[in-house]
Amino acid sequence: AAMIVSGRARICATLLLLSAAFAGSLAHASSLVDDQDKAVETVRQMFVALANDDADLFRSVTSADFYSFDVGKRFEGDELLQVVRKAHAAGRVYVWTVKDPEVRVDGDTALVTYVNRGAVNDATRVKELSWLESAVLRRDKDVWRIHFFHSTRVPPE
């Protein structure tokens, strides 16, 4: 038997299909923004850990195979944290601020690039500095962890 579908039924079916597709794309967009926000917050938490010599926090936001390129050297694991601790012991205080982050998420990998505007303070002065930085993060279960970090100081103008 041939089924006769009214124009009204076709319109309702089309609207249902479109709304389902739209809801799915909204959920994906919401998830992407959430991942981007979490990745940037992970990078910010690395700086909180470094500023406070907090090894537990540092390890919670970095992967087991974390490494970095900073001040012209390669650092493995906690070595970057140790360099900052020595600088703190020498009287230096760092201020780091992640500005204008750009985030690209592809599955369980994220790339965060940004300008880090901050300063290095010691007993004699405050020196404002900026760095161009990037971090590659991997999702570990539902947590973003930094696998690789790179920092290049912007020369003074």
Side-chain angles (χ1 to χ4, degrees), residues 24-36:
S25 66
L26 281 179
H28 176 72
S30 173
S31 174
L32 177 63
V33 169
D34 188 48
D35 281 338
Q36 291 172 330

Side-chain angles (χ1 to χ4, degrees), residues 51-153:
N52 293 295
D53 298 331
D54 187 336
D56 290 335
L57 179 57
F58 186 79
R59 290 180 193 126
S60 77
V61 297
T62 57
S63 64
D65 57 349
F66 170 80
Y67 69 103
S68 61
F69 292 160
D70 200 351
V71 294
K73 298 178 185 172
R74 179 184 172 118
F75 298 99
E76 305 277 339
D78 286 354
E79 290 176 336
L80 182 62
L81 178 63
Q82 300 309 320
V83 167
V84 173
R85 278 184 174 165
K86 286 178 185 172
H88 287 161
R92 287 193 190 93
V93 176
Y94 293 89
V95 176
W96 295 293
T97 309
V98 175
K99 293 287 190 184
D100 306 318
E102 290 184 28
V103 185
R104 289 181 176 61
V105 175
D106 185 9
D108 289 335
T109 304
L111 171 65
V112 181
T113 59
Y114 54 94
V115 176
N116 185 341
R117 295 195 202 309
V120 177
N121 309 333
D122 62 23
T124 60
R125 66 185 174 141
V126 174
K127 183 176 182 180
E128 291 187 14
L129 299 171
S130 292
W131 300 265
L132 299 176
E133 296 181 338
S134 59
V136 176
L137 295 85
R138 291 188 303 220
R139 187 186 344 247
D140 179 16
K141 296 182 175 90
D142 223 10
V143 177
W144 287 102
R145 297 190 193 281
I146 303 167
H147 168 66
F148 172 72
F149 168 73
H150 180 258
S151 179
T152 299
R153 203 167 124 210

